Amino acid sequence: MPYQGSCMIIEKIASELNVEQKQVNAAVELLDGGATVPFIARYRKEATFGLDDAQLRTLEQRLGYLREMQERKVVILKSIDEQGKLTPELSHKIQASENKTELEDLYLPFKPKRRTKGQIAIEAGLEPLADTLFANQQLDPQEEGEKFVNPEAGVADAKAALDGAKYILMERFSEDAALLQKIRRYLQQNAHIRSTVVNGKEKEAAKYSDYFAHSEKINKVPSHRALAMFRGRNEGLLQVNLDADPQREENDRSAYCETIIRDHLDLQFSGQPADAWLTTVVQWTWKVKIQLHMESELFGAIREQAEEEAIGVFARNLNDLLMAAPAGAKVTMGLDPGLRTGVKVAVVDTTGKVVATNTIFPHVPQNQWDKSLRTLANLCKQHKVQLISIGNGTGSRETDKLVAELIKSAPELNLRKIVVSEAGASVYSASELASQELPGMDVSLRGAVSIARRLQDPLAELVKIEPKAIGVGQYQHDVSQSNLGKSLEHVIEDCVNAVGVDVNTASPALLSHVSGLNRTLAQNIVMFRDQHGAFNQRKDLLKVERLGPKAYEQAAGFLRIVNGSNPLDASAVHPEAYPVVNDIVDKTACAVNDLIGNKDILKTLSPETYTNDNFGLPTVTDIIAELEKPGRDPRPEFKTAAFKEGVEKISDLKEGMILEGVVSNVANFGAFVDVGVHQDGLVHISAMTNKFISDPREVVKAGDIVKVKVIEVDEQRKRIAFTMKLDDNSAKPHRPRENSSRTDNRSSNKSPRPAKSQGRDNTRKQSSAPGNAAMGNAFADAFAKAKQK
């Protein structure tokens, strides 16, 4: 039977986003018509009444989820209807279900499955026995079971009959959607996730030592700890299970979920003949049928939630990295440090074109220090180098010293040096794209080119690298790679379109992320450019093979043509809105060239004057703002960090040192900072500021330059602890064991098991004071994930 849920989907998304249904409906129509999120957010504000890109991304995600669920509902309703078991009440429940878990619970009793023991028992004619004993506890199970002995049906004796009846009831109870929901609700509020080390694996599992005897509520476990435990389990080093009764005494074998089952079934045990048998049925229903199912389901939910958060962390960090300040069109020298294999050198001009390459050997074992200085000086003079970009890998600080001496010995060159992250440079060097961009160049030198270009324009260069290779994630290899990839693609698309792309200089990799374009169209644009020269106006893009009106509509506003025949082509004004600018030109009697950037005139304009049936107030307001600052770059001003001289390795760090560094990664529990010792240190969230914060990104983001104070160094374990509270003279961070208090917070419609003697709870409680117990296991977990350089 058909199921129509489109209106319900629109209504639900509107409610979740707290917007009007007409806004959601308009956005859905645009998305279904092939429009991209950046295009809708920038150029269709009238249609959606101003939904921003974040709202549109959430809408797009929820739309996909709810449509998948709608399709699943149609399949389920059809399946149950074909079985002749679909009632109006069941149909209503299925159509009203709001998540996939609830939907699958309702379908469970009707879902085709392998032949079970319960089904075999029903085929043997034992269902009446099960129904009788369940309905009348005064009957004697043994006597009733003997009535159903039937060797021909495989029921040899009364025990076999009772076992069959037990399986029938177990399966019936375990498929009761209402009962499953009660147990699920109880476990979500009270159960713990418990991890222990596998016997004999203590040494091998040393990095998971914080989880050798760890327990915490499943509704409190943060994503990084959940993913760490699951990784340890996957590696065969940890045992992870669901503790449904964390407050149960050691010798107490009862389970509170059995009480929930009895209460739901309204079973009252008062010494009647069938009580013992029904008690066994209830116990087996929980232990055999429901417990493992719930553990798998709840752990799956924890993992899904943890993955979503980890993906979110990666996406936010990637956004910050891509939107980092560009050094701009400056001649730049890239140095890819190395010791034995030498330092790879590449010089690129203001457009990123490679003009020189070399390899120098200033470090051990060759120690050609003076020769290397001469080589670098000659290259800088010959090509008028302005910036030197140094990769932060092995040999970085030694190479930094070399460049510092070069700058000191040749002040006339007016050079600036910057240490940049080289994460992903080696991946790019060996890629097919690199071989196309830099044909004939040695793979080892391509990394130096990438290091130079990523200083000029991080966005343009980093889009060439697989996002997962950039190294700003949290447990990125433990999450769904398809979901991660999709999320990161959205981030790249949003960043590229927020900045805009010069169509005459952009690489195919950068162009492919422009709204409406793909790899094929991007390559076709570059081929057309190579064959016919630079584009002179936006509408020339329609001459590119396979780039039709729809792709042009989506892409044109984000593509810039500098010094073309139409000055508006260098702005974010969409070609479809050029008539609005022409109207402004006519009414102000000011030519376009004189109008652009002319704040005196633009500030006097009233947007309402230029609205019409096609362009409303939001669009006209955006156009005037764009004319005021055409092609403005939303990225921040370029700044650099200065690493402390003489601090080159972890052993050089001393407690109390105040250093300048760069935020390399931000996680839920804090931020990692690179101070130039080839090992990132952690600023725990509690050590960032004197006020309470729930998210480190309230204070810092990837790429920020910060000052930190060293508060602890563990050279053996390669762990560094920093604080950003520079005037904080408190002791070292306290690292207590995770709080595994057994305080019972059960909630149920029935009275939960009373708490045991409080004297048995001898676990330490964590202080809520920031900077003390708040460090917790997150501190240690974070260090374990610190990036090795």
Side-chain angles (χ1 to χ4, degrees):
M1 61 183 291
Y3 171 66
Q4 300 296 330
S6 298
C7 292
M8 292 178 62
I9 288 176
I10 299 295
E11 181 180 352
K12 184 170 181 61
I13 294 176
S15 176
E16 292 175 351
L17 293 178
N18 194 26
V19 298
E20 295 183 27
Q21 292 184 35
K22 62 182 179 180
Q23 293 176 273
V24 176
N25 196 56
V28 170
E29 288 181 3
L30 287 164
L31 288 168
D32 288 345
T36 67
V37 166
F39 176 79
I40 298 170
R42 182 68 178 80
Y43 298 113
R44 291 296 180 264
K45 291 181 178 179
E46 284 90 349
T48 66
F49 298 89
L51 291 180
D52 61 31
D53 52 356
Q55 290 173 310
L56 288 166
R57 285 294 181 202
T58 302
L59 185 154
E60 184 181 40
Q61 181 182 16
R62 290 295 291 155
L63 181 65
Y65 177 89
L66 293 173
R67 280 181 168 173
E68 283 181 9
M69 197 163 79
Q70 178 178 318
E71 293 172 0
R72 180 62 175 159
K73 287 179 181 179
V74 172
V75 172
I76 288 175
L77 287 166
K78 181 180 179 182
S79 173
I80 299 175
D81 191 37
E82 289 175 347
Q83 297 175 41
K85 298 177 181 179
L86 185 62
T87 64
E89 180 184 7
L90 178 59
S91 176
H92 176 73
K93 286 183 178 179
I94 290 173
Q95 294 187 28
S97 58
E98 296 189 351
N99 58 67
K100 293 179 180 179
T101 299
E102 181 182 354
L103 179 61
E104 295 302 330
D105 279 352
L106 292 168
Y107 184 41
L108 191 58
F110 311 98
K111 190 174 184 178
K113 55 180 77 75
R114 290 181 301 175
R115 197 158 168 259
T116 64
K117 291 182 178 179
Q119 290 174 327
I120 294 172
I122 291 173
E123 294 167 5
L126 296 176
E127 191 168 22
L129 174 61
D131 293 338
T132 299
L133 291 175
F134 177 64
N136 189 350
Q137 293 171 239
Q138 295 181 353
L139 297 175
D140 184 287
Q142 184 67 26
E143 292 179 3
E144 295 301 315
E146 289 176 353
K147 297 177 184 178
F148 288 84
V149 174
N150 183 357
E152 294 181 0
V155 185
D157 50 29
K159 181 180 181 304
L162 291 173
D163 284 345
K166 178 176 65 177
Y167 292 131
I168 292 171
L169 292 180
M170 285 167 55
E171 291 183 15
R172 184 185 300 172
F173 299 158
S174 66
E175 294 176 350
D176 185 327
L179 173 59
L180 291 177
Q181 186 58 30
K182 287 180 181 179
I183 292 176
R184 182 182 295 112
R185 190 181 303 116
Y186 165 77
L187 293 174
Q188 287 172 339
Q189 293 298 319
N190 299 282
H192 281 210
I193 182 172
R194 188 179 297 278
S195 67
T196 55
V197 65
V198 174
N199 288 336
K201 296 288 184 74
E202 289 82 1
K203 185 175 181 180
E204 187 180 350
K207 62 182 178 180
Y208 297 110
S209 59
D210 296 306
Y211 303 102
F212 281 8
H214 179 77
S215 177
E216 66 181 308
K217 276 190 171 184
I218 60 171
N219 64 352
K220 298 293 184 183
V221 58
S223 62
H224 63 278
R225 286 210 289 271
L227 292 175
M229 284 185 275
F230 289 140
R231 174 187 285 184
R233 182 178 66 174
N234 292 340
E235 293 176 359
L237 303 174
L238 296 178
Q239 291 178 332
V240 182
N241 54 60
L242 180 74
D243 185 354
D245 293 276
Q247 198 165 357
R248 180 169 54 187
E249 296 287 357
E250 187 174 343
N251 297 322
D252 186 357
R253 298 191 173 222
S254 63
Y256 186 71
C257 287
E258 294 171 16
T259 301
I260 296 176
I261 296 172
R262 289 198 304 270
D263 292 344
H264 177 77
L265 300 173
D266 198 23
L267 289 174
Q268 305 294 329
F269 296 148
S270 55
Q272 299 176 87
D275 284 1
W277 183 80
L278 284 170
T279 296
T280 302
V281 173
V282 169
Q283 290 174 342
W284 279 46
T285 298
W286 163 241
K287 294 178 180 177
V288 177
K289 302 295 292 185
I290 297 180
Q291 185 175 20
L292 291 178
H293 168 74
M294 282 294 169
E295 177 175 292
S296 177
E297 178 188 303
L298 292 176
F299 280 6
I302 292 173
R303 173 176 281 281
E304 182 178 350
Q305 183 178 357
E307 287 188 4
E308 286 180 4
E309 185 55 41
I311 289 172
V313 168
F314 199 140
R316 292 189 291 272
N317 285 336
L318 179 62
N319 178 85
D320 294 338
L321 195 61
L322 294 178
M323 296 298 282
K330 294 180 172 63
V331 180
T332 304
M333 174 182 286
L335 300 180
D336 188 359
L339 298 176
R340 181 182 57 82
T341 57
V343 177
K344 308 303 184 294
V345 184
V347 179
V348 299
D349 66 14
T350 56
T351 67
K353 179 182 177 182
V354 180
V355 294
T357 60
N358 209 323
T359 302
I360 57 176
F361 298 88
H363 313 310
V364 291
Q366 290 91 336
N367 294 315
Q368 298 174 4
W369 188 268
D370 293 337
K371 180 181 178 181
S372 298
L373 280 173
R374 289 193 298 272
T375 300
L376 293 181
N378 290 334
L379 286 171
C380 289
K381 291 175 184 176
Q382 181 182 352
H383 300 286
K384 297 181 172 57
V385 172
Q386 297 165 279
L387 297 174
I388 299 182
S389 179
I390 307 167
N392 65 348
T394 302
S396 173
R397 291 311 300 271
E398 294 86 347
T399 304
D400 186 57
K401 268 187 177 180
L402 179 74
V403 176
E405 186 169 329
L406 170 66
I407 294 173
K408 186 176 180 179
S409 63
E412 70 279 3
L413 295 176
N414 195 26
L415 296 169
R416 291 177 66 191
K417 64 181 177 70
I418 300 94
V419 176
V420 302
S421 169
E422 64 178 38
S426 59
V427 174
Y428 165 76
S429 300
S431 69
E432 182 180 352
L433 177 61
S435 65
Q436 294 172 353
E437 286 190 331
L438 305 168
M441 182 180 290
D442 187 87
V443 173
S444 62
L445 291 170
R446 293 173 183 167
V449 176
S450 179
I451 289 170
R453 287 174 173 174
R454 66 177 59 188
L455 181 62
Q456 290 180 321
D457 190 340
L459 177 61
E461 189 63 23
L462 292 175
V463 295
K464 302 174 184 177
I465 301 169
E466 173 68 26
K468 288 175 282 189
I470 297 177
V472 290
Q474 175 188 350
Y475 292 89
Q476 64 203 57
H477 302 295
D478 298 311
V479 304
S480 166
Q481 297 302 293
S482 61
N483 290 344
L484 176 62
K486 187 183 300 183
S487 176
L488 299 185
E489 279 299 314
H490 289 163
V491 170
I492 296 172
E493 182 182 38
D494 289 342
C495 291
V496 169
N497 290 285
V499 173
V501 173
D502 186 336
V503 72
N504 285 320
T505 61
S507 68
L510 186 60
L511 286 167
S512 68
H513 295 289
V514 171
S515 169
L517 302 184
N518 53 34
R519 290 184 180 181
T520 300
L521 289 177
Q523 193 62 52
N524 289 349
I525 289 173
V526 173
M527 290 174 59
F528 185 92
R529 191 175 71 197
D530 292 342
Q531 294 171 5
H532 302 282
F535 288 92
N536 187 48
Q537 52 187 343
R538 277 172 167 165
K539 63 183 181 182
D540 288 343
L541 288 163
L542 289 168
K543 299 176 183 178
V544 174
E545 184 181 359
R546 300 178 67 178
L547 200 157
K550 185 65 177 180
Y552 178 76
E553 176 193 56
Q554 297 292 308
F558 303 105
L559 297 173
R560 312 280 192 264
I561 297 179
V562 181
N563 299 322
S565 59
N566 188 338
L568 292 177
D569 287 346
S571 73
V573 178
H574 197 285
E576 68 184 9
Y578 286 178
V580 175
V581 181
N582 294 334
D583 190 22
I584 295 174
V585 168
D586 292 340
K587 290 179 180 178
T588 59
C590 182
V592 173
N593 282 328
D594 296 329
L595 187 64
I596 292 176
N598 192 330
K599 294 183 180 180
D600 292 337
I601 294 178
L602 295 170
K603 289 291 187 183
T604 66
L605 299 181
S606 174
E608 292 84 354
T609 305
Y610 304 98
T611 60
N612 54 43
D613 293 340
N614 296 320
F615 304 102
L617 188 60
T619 295
V620 176
T621 301
D622 283 349
I623 289 171
I624 294 175
E626 181 63 23
L627 291 175
E628 187 176 332
K629 295 180 179 179
R632 62 191 181 280
D633 196 322
R635 293 174 291 183
E637 182 184 355
F638 179 69
K639 296 179 181 179
T640 61
F643 292 153
K644 189 179 180 75
E645 293 292 337
V647 179
E648 301 172 1
K649 52 188 181 298
I650 193 171
S651 59
D652 294 329
L653 295 175
K654 307 298 178 186
E655 290 181 23
M657 275 185 174
I658 295 179
L659 307 167
E660 189 169 83
V662 180
V663 177
S664 60
N665 199 354
V666 182
N668 290 336
F669 43 77
F672 292 99
V673 178
D674 175 12
V675 294
V677 296
H678 309 297
Q679 177 67 50
D680 293 349
L682 173 70
V683 181
H684 190 268
I685 187 172
S686 63
M688 289 184 162
T689 177
N690 289 318
K691 67 178 183 178
F692 173 79
I693 57 171
S694 58
D695 183 354
R697 287 172 56 84
E698 296 177 35
V699 179
V700 297
K701 63 180 184 296
D704 279 356
I705 298 169
V706 296
K707 284 191 175 182
V708 296
K709 181 163 69 173
V710 181
I711 55 176
E712 186 175 15
V713 180
D714 186 339
E715 187 175 351
Q716 183 176 0
R717 302 177 73 184
K718 295 185 177 180
R719 293 182 175 181
I720 310 165
F722 294 134
T723 178
M724 289 172 58
K725 298 187 286 188
L726 304 184
D727 57 349
D728 186 358
N729 295 316
S730 59
K732 295 179 182 179
H734 177 52
R735 296 187 220 162
R737 187 173 293 276
E738 186 68 23
N739 183 6
S740 57
S741 172
R742 295 186 173 191
T743 302
D744 195 10
N745 294 315
R746 293 184 176 97
S747 60
S748 173
N749 57 344
K750 300 291 183 179
S751 298
R753 173 189 295 143
K756 301 294 181 181
S757 169
Q758 296 302 312
R760 298 186 61 85
D761 184 5
N762 57 8
T763 56
R764 287 183 296 167
K765 294 184 180 291
Q766 290 185 358
S767 166
S768 60
N772 187 17
M775 300 295 281
N777 280 352
F779 190 96
D781 298 340
F783 277 126
K785 292 302 296 176
K787 180 174 57 183
Q788 299 293 330
K789 291 189 175 180

